[in-house]
């Protein structure tokens, strides 16, 4: 018998964390940050509800911080075993966790300046660059479809999830006495099957227990053709009205898809903007990693020429300009029209996008394109919900820009895609819906029951099940 405890991403989208216990072994699936409301993010400072020293292995589905962002903290609190990821995820984690550590250190420094003046006790960063370096040393890359024993009697196999580069569906086989086996399948984040740069999610047909994400469990996304047509219309309108286009985008995945599609518009002669700025050091570095792993199409090879794989997207989209330094980023403030600015963070919770808000969002001719999910409590969610006054960088700003939400660019599967993935299992598994706001998970559970006749449970934080 195996035990599974839900320690995160229950009835909410972020904070993925599940503890598997079998054969006197403890394996942690995911170690993610909670993101959203400030009170929720404060929970990242809590001690883990298990002893990190007692873990035998950690398995992470992909590099997004809501699945991986507390790995350095786990190591700082005593974990020293292997962390299993795919090879592309290992490279992306090196980039993303170091960036996150820098942010934790800077946030603590700023907070302590205020605390020093007010006489309050100082705080420590959630984790440091040193903690991150120690965590990165523990990474053990595993290729897709390569079954590996990660602990006594516990075998893990990664399968393509199609969400971001290196993302994986995690299949766990528990080998028990008398040749008995139990199989757990964790979907990770399933892709939307429309990314031009990734393979679609793999399908599996056997499982005793399935943990499936439900971020968009309440609806389907618009199809790709309609989404691209709407983006083209927005860009044309912004050009006519003389404003800039701001796109807050996740540095890994969403940004690379957007650059591909903007390049497609450019190649078709329909992109009127004079320049596309990639204003995110992390996104620039992530794009280089993508270029190393993704096979180039015949058209891209012709455009790039021999020996120029790093420059593929730059050749595909020649008006793309990268602005890695703060000085280059600030220089964009002088551009009042004709530019597309892609910057982080994806949910507008910080990063360079908020500086561009300061110079653009109060202008009626500015267009703000939201290309993905915005968690409750984030500035991006408030803008999508129609908030007309925001406060960023210690300034109150009127929101007069035109806000556009393009759900078709989501890197997550929609409701029908989730159910179609589930249909491939030969027999009804014990099914738990995670990674979704409660009302969306409930809609998905009801729809699964209507269409498949299968029951689906929505676990609570700390709930433990035996299987």
């Amino acid at each position: 018998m195996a035990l599974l405890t839900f320690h995160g991403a229950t009835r909410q989208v972020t904070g993925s964390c599940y503890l598997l216990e079998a054969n006197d072994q403890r394996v942690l699936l995911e170690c993610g940050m909670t993101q959203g409301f400030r009170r929720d993010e404060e929970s990242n400072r809590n001690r883990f509800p298990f002893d990190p020293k007692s873990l035998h292995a950690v398995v992470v589905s992909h590099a997004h911080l809501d699945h991986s962002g507390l790995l350095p903290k786990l190591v700082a609190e005593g974990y020293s075993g292997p962390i299993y990821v795919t090879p592309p995820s290992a490279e992306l984690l090196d980039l993303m966790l170091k960036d996150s550590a820098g942010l934790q250190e800077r946030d603590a420094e700023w907070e302590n300046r205020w605390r020093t003046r007010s006489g309050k006790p100082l705080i420590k960063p959630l984790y440091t660059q040193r903690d991150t370096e120690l965590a990165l040393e523990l990474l053990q890359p595993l290729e897709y479809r390569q079954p590996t024993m990660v602990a006594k009697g516990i075998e893990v196999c990664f399968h393509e999830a199609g969400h971001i580069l290196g993302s994986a569906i995690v299949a766990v086989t528990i080998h028990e006495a008398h040749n008995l086996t139990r199989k757990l399948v964790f979907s990770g984040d399933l892709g939307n099957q429309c990314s031009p740069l990734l393979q679609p999610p793999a399908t599996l047909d056997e499982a005793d227990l399935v943990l499936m994400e439900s971020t968009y469990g309440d609806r389907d996304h618009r199809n790709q053709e309609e989404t691209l047509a709407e983006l083209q219309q927005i860009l044309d309108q912004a050009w006519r009205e003389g404003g800039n286009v701001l796109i807050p985008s996740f540095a890994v995945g969403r940004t690379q898809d957007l650059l591909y599609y903007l390049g497609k518009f450019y190649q078709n002669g329909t992109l009127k903007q004079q320049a596309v700025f990639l204003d995110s050091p992390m996104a620039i570095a992530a794009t280089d990693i993508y270029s190393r792993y993704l096979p180039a199409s015949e058209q891209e090879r012709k455009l790039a020429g021999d020996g120029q794989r790093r420059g593929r997207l730059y050749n595909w989209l020649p008006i793309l300009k990268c602005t890695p330094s703060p000085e280059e980023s600030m220089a964009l403030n002088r551009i009042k029209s004709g530019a597309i600015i892609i910057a982080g963070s994806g949910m507008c919770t910080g990063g360079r996008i908020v500086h561009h808000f300061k110079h653009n969002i109060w202008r009626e001719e500015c267009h703000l394109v939201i290309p993905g999910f915005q968690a409750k409590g984030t500035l991006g969610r408030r803008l999508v919900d129609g908030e007309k006054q925001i406060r960023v960088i210690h300034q109150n700003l009127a929101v007069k820009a035109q806000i556009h939400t393009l759900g078709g660019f989501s890197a997550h599967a929609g409701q029908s895609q989730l159910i179609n993935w589930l249909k491939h299992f030969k027999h009804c598994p014990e099914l738990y819906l995670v990674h979704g706001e409660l009302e969306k998970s409930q809609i998905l559970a009801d729809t699964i029951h209507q269409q498949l006749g299968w029951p689906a449970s929505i676990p609570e934080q700390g709930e433990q099940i035996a299987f």
Side-chain angles (χ1 to χ4, degrees):
M1 180 178 293
L3 295 176
L4 184 74
T5 308
F6 297 87
H7 288 304
T10 54
R11 308 192 176 198
Q12 61 180 2
V13 173
T14 64
S16 192
C17 189
Y18 315 100
L19 179 62
L20 173 65
E21 298 175 86
N23 300 331
D24 296 322
Q25 305 287 290
R26 307 183 101 201
V27 175
L28 191 68
L29 298 178
E30 314 281 74
C31 192
M33 274 185 172
T34 299
Q35 299 166 316
F37 289 110
R38 187 176 184 85
R39 65 176 180 272
D40 294 329
E41 293 186 349
E42 280 298 312
S43 68
N44 291 320
R45 291 190 169 275
N46 297 341
R47 293 193 68 83
F48 291 102
F50 49 83
D51 181 4
K53 296 190 184 80
S54 71
L55 300 176
H56 296 87
V58 175
V59 179
V60 174
S61 68
H62 66 284
H64 276 155
L65 292 182
D66 61 321
H67 293 255
S68 69
L70 291 186
L71 287 172
K73 182 173 182 285
L74 188 77
V75 171
E77 293 187 16
Y79 180 68
S80 59
I83 300 171
Y84 294 96
V85 296
T86 65
S89 289
E91 289 199 48
L92 291 171
L93 281 170
D94 183 88
L95 172 67
M96 298 177 75
L97 291 179
K98 286 178 179 177
D99 180 83
S100 177
L103 182 62
Q104 302 303 326
E105 291 176 336
R106 289 191 297 273
D107 283 352
E109 181 182 352
W110 279 101
E111 175 74 11
N112 285 335
R113 288 182 185 180
W114 174 81
R115 287 174 172 264
T116 297
R117 291 195 299 270
S118 60
K120 293 192 173 183
L122 302 184
I123 63 168
K124 293 182 178 180
L126 184 61
Y127 50 80
T128 65
Q129 292 285 2
R130 178 56 180 159
D131 298 329
T132 299
E133 290 167 0
L134 291 173
L136 292 171
E137 290 175 2
L138 302 178
L139 296 184
Q140 295 286 329
L142 294 181
E143 298 287 351
Y144 291 122
R145 300 181 301 279
Q146 180 183 310
T148 301
M149 285 291 182
V150 301
K152 185 179 67 177
I154 300 178
E155 181 181 82
V156 165
C157 188
F158 289 139
H159 301 270
E160 175 67 66
H163 174 61
I164 64 170
L165 182 69
S167 59
I169 297 164
V170 182
V172 182
T173 303
I174 301 165
H175 298 270
E176 301 174 329
H178 310 295
N179 293 321
L180 297 176
T181 61
R182 304 286 287 168
K183 180 167 281 190
L184 179 158
V185 172
F186 171 49
S187 72
D189 284 349
L190 292 175
N192 188 11
Q193 300 183 24
C194 70
S195 171
L197 304 175
L198 300 176
Q199 296 296 315
T203 55
L204 286 75
D205 58 13
E206 292 184 356
D208 298 294
L209 174 67
V210 171
L211 309 184
M212 187 172 76
E213 70 126 315
S214 54
T215 305
Y216 285 99
D218 61 334
R219 64 189 186 274
D220 289 329
H221 305 302
R222 294 182 67 186
N223 67 45
Q224 186 182 53
E225 292 75 17
E226 290 177 351
T227 300
L228 290 175
E230 184 178 359
L231 177 59
Q232 181 74 74
Q233 292 170 2
I234 294 167
L235 298 178
D236 290 347
Q237 183 182 351
W239 175 256
R240 290 194 303 271
E241 295 176 356
N244 292 324
V245 178
L246 304 183
I247 307 180
S249 184
F250 296 104
V252 179
R254 191 73 41 77
T255 290
Q256 290 72 38
D257 284 353
L258 283 167
L259 292 177
Y260 176 87
Y261 287 125
L262 291 173
K264 191 173 183 179
F265 291 163
Y266 179 89
Q267 297 297 327
N268 292 339
T270 60
L271 186 62
K272 299 180 175 67
Q273 272 72 15
Q274 301 163 345
V276 176
F277 293 99
L278 184 52
D279 190 31
S280 164
M282 184 190 293
I284 294 167
T287 300
D288 291 341
I289 294 173
Y290 263 68
S291 294
R292 288 202 302 278
Y293 278 96
L294 299 174
S297 67
E298 184 63 29
Q299 185 178 10
E300 288 174 295
R301 282 194 290 270
K302 289 178 181 177
L303 286 165
D306 294 335
Q308 295 186 42
R309 291 198 65 190
R310 183 185 181 279
R312 279 170 49 203
L313 277 172
Y314 303 102
N315 287 278
W316 180 243
L317 181 58
I319 61 171
L320 175 62
K321 297 176 172 58
C322 295
T323 54
S325 71
E327 294 76 19
E328 290 169 303
S329 178
M330 288 187 287
L332 301 183
N333 298 334
R334 298 194 293 268
I335 301 174
K336 302 303 180 186
S337 66
I340 299 171
I341 301 172
I342 302 173
S345 66
M347 295 188 190
C348 310
T349 52
R352 293 183 178 182
I353 194 65
V354 297
H355 292 272
H356 297 304
F357 284 175
K358 178 180 175 181
H359 295 275
N360 289 274
I361 205 166
W362 48 270
R363 303 171 65 207
E364 293 179 355
E365 66 272 23
C366 172
H367 289 256
L368 174 61
V369 177
I370 306 288
F373 179 81
Q374 305 294 306
K376 285 183 177 179
T378 63
L379 177 55
R381 181 65 166 262
R382 301 205 310 270
L383 289 167
V384 168
D385 290 342
E387 193 159 311
K388 296 302 181 184
Q389 190 83 16
I390 61 173
R391 184 171 179 81
V392 294
I393 321 174
H394 309 294
Q395 282 188 279
N396 293 317
L397 299 173
V399 179
K400 295 184 179 180
Q402 299 174 61
I403 314 293
H404 310 271
T405 302
L406 290 181
F409 280 125
S410 174
H412 288 265
Q415 183 190 86
S416 294
Q417 294 168 324
L418 291 168
I419 294 175
N420 287 336
W421 180 80
L422 201 57
K423 283 180 181 177
H424 286 85
F425 290 99
K426 295 176 183 176
H427 306 287
C428 172
E430 191 173 351
L431 175 61
Y432 288 83
L433 302 181
V434 295
H435 282 279
E437 295 167 0
L438 177 58
E439 59 274 21
K440 298 182 180 182
S441 299
Q442 188 61 63
I443 290 171
L444 180 59
D446 293 342
T447 306
I448 290 170
H449 188 263
Q450 292 166 10
Q451 294 190 17
L452 303 182
W454 295 0
S457 301
I458 304 171
E460 297 183 2
Q461 184 79 357
E463 183 175 340
Q464 185 177 79
I465 60 170
F467 71 101

